[in-house]
């Protein structure tokens, strides 16, 4: 990929064609937020910007096509994800980021992979993209959003826990729609926060 401003222009132009208008607006919001959090916590700015831009690069592929590509390319997906193809965009996004956008950085790819479900013991970049996806400026419906946004810039692990707690509580109303990785992430970060005493 070309360096400097041209690289970002090229990346954004390609993404804009692949996403709906609303999804692209969300993507720019995530990117903006990821860059701001990267500045606060000392994460590599280019990595945060790239992961933010590409986190939903496979989101607008129709669900039937998502399933088809995952099976054809033998991607490592679970039966739960195949039954809930809305979740497939994260892992498929890794494939798309590699093959259509030339991304080879494993940290960026993992941030794309885990931005929806989260996971235990996330890297700083994974936390930043996960949180940015939840709090970006276009989001309005999530509970406790003002408090979570404020916490994001003060205590990243507490923010992560707050998001996972709200997510688990919301999904527990329909437990069949909850990925086990999300519950594992929640339990992990609950222990992290409780162990502070």
């Amino acid at each position: 990929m070309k360096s400097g401003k041209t690289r970002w222009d090229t990346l954004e132009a390609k993404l804009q064609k692949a996403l709906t208008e609303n999804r692209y607006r969300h993507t720019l919001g995530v990117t903006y937020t990821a860059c701001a959090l990267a500045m606060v916590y000392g994460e590599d700015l280019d990595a945060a910007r790239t992961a933010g831009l590409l986190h939903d690069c496979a989101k607008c592929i129709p669900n039937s096509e998502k399933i088809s590509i995952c099976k054809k390319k033998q991607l490592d997906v679970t039966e739960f994800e195949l039954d809930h193809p809305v979740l497939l965009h994260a892992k498929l996004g890794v494939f798309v980021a590699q093959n259509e956008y030339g991304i080879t950085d494993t940290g960026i790819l993992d941030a794309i992979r885990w931005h929806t479900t989260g996971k235990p013991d996330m890297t700083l970049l994974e936390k930043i993209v996960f949180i940015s996806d939840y709090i970006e400026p276009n989001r309005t419906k999530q509970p406790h959003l003002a408090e979570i946004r404020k916490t994001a810039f003060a205590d990243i692990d507490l923010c992560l826990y707050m998001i996972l707690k709200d997510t688990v509580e919301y999904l527990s109303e329909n437990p069949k729609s909850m990925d086990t990785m999300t519950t594992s992430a929640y339990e992990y970060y609950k222990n992290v926060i409780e162990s502070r005493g």
Side-chain angles (χ1 to χ4, degrees):
M1 227 177 243
K2 296 175 184 176
S3 62
K5 186 180 177 187
T6 308
R7 173 179 183 265
W8 300 112
D9 289 346
T10 303
L11 192 58
E12 289 174 12
K14 188 171 182 178
L15 262 176
Q16 195 166 11
K17 290 177 183 175
L19 303 176
T20 63
E21 184 180 343
N22 284 343
R23 184 57 46 183
Y24 184 66
R25 188 181 305 116
H26 162 73
T27 291
L28 293 181
V30 172
T31 305
Y32 172 85
T33 307
C35 287
L37 287 170
M39 290 178 194
V40 169
Y41 292 106
E43 180 56 85
D44 181 82
L45 202 51
D46 277 359
R49 187 174 182 181
T50 304
L53 276 170
L54 293 177
H55 82 285
D56 270 353
C57 63
K59 183 79 171 185
C60 294
I61 297 172
N63 284 340
S64 59
E65 196 176 333
K66 285 188 184 88
I67 293 170
S68 176
I69 296 169
C70 287
K71 288 181 175 179
K72 184 178 179 182
K73 301 297 180 181
Q74 298 182 324
L75 302 185
D76 183 23
V77 297
T78 65
E79 284 300 318
F80 183 86
E81 288 166 330
L82 291 173
D83 290 340
H84 300 82
V86 69
L87 293 173
L88 286 176
H89 78 277
K91 289 182 178 177
L92 182 56
V94 173
F95 176 82
V96 171
Q98 286 174 309
N99 291 278
E100 294 187 22
Y101 295 90
I103 303 302
T104 57
D105 185 306
T106 55
I108 292 171
L109 296 172
D110 284 342
I112 295 169
R113 183 187 315 274
W114 301 114
H115 82 269
T116 300
T117 62
K119 74 177 184 72
D121 198 19
M122 296 168 80
T123 66
L124 178 57
L125 183 60
E126 289 165 359
K127 293 174 187 179
I128 284 172
V129 176
F130 179 87
I131 289 169
S132 298
D133 186 39
Y134 195 89
I135 70 168
E136 63 96 359
N138 298 296
R139 297 287 202 192
T140 57
K141 296 180 181 176
Q142 287 84 337
H144 315 115
L145 201 48
E147 184 185 358
I148 288 171
R149 281 176 170 149
K150 186 175 180 181
T151 305
F153 292 89
D155 187 335
I156 198 166
D157 283 347
L158 178 58
C159 179
L160 200 57
Y161 166 68
M162 291 166 71
I163 292 171
L164 287 162
K165 183 174 185 285
D166 282 349
T167 301
V168 166
E169 286 177 359
Y170 173 76
L171 291 174
S172 64
E173 294 173 15
N174 184 11
K176 291 181 180 178
S177 67
M178 188 165 1
D179 191 293
T180 55
M181 190 59 76
T182 301
T183 53
S184 296
Y186 166 68
E187 292 298 335
Y188 180 89
Y189 284 100
K190 182 182 178 187
N191 288 335
V192 167
I193 299 307
E194 288 179 349
S195 69
R196 293 179 179 181

